Amino acid sequence: MKIVIPGGTGQVGTILNRSLTAAGHDVVVLTRHPVRGRDVRWDGETLGPWAEEIDGSDVVVNLAGRSVNCRYTTANLRAMMDSRVHSTRVVGEAIAAAVRPPRVWLQMSTATVYSHRFDAPNDEATGELGGAESGVPGYWAYSVEIAQAWERAQEQAETPHTRKVSMRAAMVMSPERGGVFDVLLRLVRLGLGGPVAGGAQYVSWIHDRDFVRAVEFLAGRDDLTGPVNLAAPVPLPQRTFMRLLRTAWGVPVGLPATRWMAELGAFALRSDTELLLKSRRVVPGRLLEAGFAFDYAQWPEAAADLVRRVRGGPGSTG
């Protein structure tokens, strides 16, 4: 198959590109800074020669958007909104103009669209969308607005011959440097991987290999459209999640952090505490109903595999 990945140079795109290329697919990455043979230049905002790659392709997986790993300043939040909405809109325009449009458009979204909650899991049918929670920073609502606008841009695209899926992805855990797992493991190795602000907030996650398998699964199914949660079926409270990661690495103790300590740490890392403090209790209702079987449904097994790959054990590449 020919698979086009707009915005495919980040961590998730690199994982997907590597795996799909190894499986024998023709993968084209749309990027502002082409460096590899199958990279094609685009600006993420306007139609151009890059649209020829979409015409005749089989699958489009749009991952474009400014990274959320930053300080949530007004300017950065606006950049997140604009980069997601504009790139999604122009991908839709390219598909609409194609003589031979792709049969499926998988659009990245985020589990952040759901509410900050502890009482029940969020699936696609019964989950609560966020934005109206009390007792949380006001700007968290804007993160939900970004997610909703991202999905709405795909919904509004006039692509009648292309099936559309919005992938509400949890944090993708992989051993690569710079990813979320790398950051969490660094905290563990420094003895800082304890509960944050009590640690009751839920962590939703997905193993990188299950993420790739879920993308392939969604591309191959003709009966799935609309939002689909890409998350392992067992989210955990942050204190439990980090304890199990410490066990996998072999560190017995992790110092706890208060909310203000988390603020200082996030500032030092040029990130934001929403990534640590929002309770994302998300489960993959539609994937499970469709028969998808996770290779890494439980965090202890997933963490053990990721740690082994970080340490360079057998089969650690990829």
Side-chain angles (χ1 to χ4, degrees):
M1 291 191 301
K2 181 178 180 181
I3 302 171
V4 180
I5 309 179
T9 56
Q11 180 208 10
V12 173
T14 299
I15 293 166
L16 201 56
N17 184 3
R18 181 176 61 229
S19 298
L20 295 174
T21 299
H25 300 295
D26 175 20
V27 179
V28 175
V29 171
L30 305 183
T31 172
R32 288 180 170 82
H33 305 289
V35 294
R36 292 169 292 194
R38 295 298 280 155
D39 289 357
V40 173
R41 187 181 304 278
W42 82 326
D43 64 4
E45 296 182 2
T46 56
L47 286 173
W50 59 266
E52 297 172 7
E53 299 292 344
I54 285 180
D55 196 339
S57 67
D58 298 288
V59 181
V60 172
V61 187
N62 185 23
L63 306 178
R66 193 203 192 288
S67 172
V68 298
N69 189 19
C70 63
R71 297 296 294 168
Y72 281 15
T73 63
T74 300
N76 284 341
L77 287 169
R78 172 50 59 182
M80 287 184 215
M81 173 73 85
D82 290 347
S83 62
R84 282 158 175 73
V85 172
H86 294 169
S87 60
T88 302
R89 184 177 298 136
V90 79
V91 166
E93 291 173 0
I95 293 174
V99 176
R100 295 169 298 162
R103 57 182 177 78
V104 59
W105 171 11
L106 304 180
Q107 172 62 46
M108 193 65 160
S109 182
T110 173
T112 296
V113 74
Y114 292 108
S115 67
H116 169 76
R117 67 187 300 193
F118 304 88
D119 58 332
N122 288 304
D123 64 15
E124 301 89 341
T126 64
E128 296 177 353
L129 299 185
E133 304 96 320
S134 60
V136 302
Y139 69 88
W140 284 17
Y142 191 69
S143 293
V144 175
E145 289 180 29
I146 291 172
Q148 292 176 315
W150 204 3
E151 294 185 1
R152 192 160 53 246
Q154 186 196 33
E155 292 169 6
Q156 293 174 345
E158 297 292 338
T159 57
H161 304 294
T162 299
R163 179 170 57 91
K164 296 186 287 191
V165 177
S166 179
M167 303 186 297
R168 291 177 174 173
M171 293 186 291
V172 179
M173 299 291 171
S174 79
E176 279 82 9
R177 295 296 300 273
V180 62
F181 182 77
D182 181 50
V183 172
L184 295 175
L185 188 58
R186 192 184 320 154
L187 294 174
V188 166
R189 295 166 74 173
L190 292 172
L192 303 175
V196 174
Q201 66 274 25
Y202 277 80
V203 178
S204 288
W205 57 276
I206 185 169
H207 188 282
D208 62 339
R209 289 173 175 164
D210 276 336
F211 177 84
V212 173
R213 292 179 57 249
V215 167
E216 294 174 319
F217 183 83
L218 292 171
R221 290 289 295 256
D222 293 331
D223 57 335
L224 290 174
T225 62
V228 176
N229 293 346
L230 270 62
V234 187
L236 294 169
Q238 186 267 344
R239 56 176 173 261
T240 306
F241 182 89
M242 294 304 294
R243 174 175 56 78
L244 293 170
L245 180 53
R246 295 198 308 271
T247 298
W249 189 256
V251 174
V253 177
L255 294 177
T258 62
R259 183 179 291 266
W260 71 264
M261 292 168 66
E263 290 281 1
L264 288 176
F267 182 82
L269 293 171
R270 301 183 65 82
S271 186
D272 196 90
T273 53
E274 185 199 40
L275 303 174
L276 293 171
L277 299 178
K278 182 169 181 176
S279 186
R280 295 172 173 84
R281 193 175 180 183
V282 179
V283 293
R286 297 191 70 196
L287 275 180
L288 293 175
E289 290 169 3
F292 181 79
F294 285 82
D295 285 343
Y296 297 93
Q298 302 281 344
W299 179 235
E301 291 77 14
D305 174 76
L306 293 165
V307 163
R308 176 184 56 77
R309 290 160 66 194
V310 168
R311 286 176 163 158
S316 60
T317 58

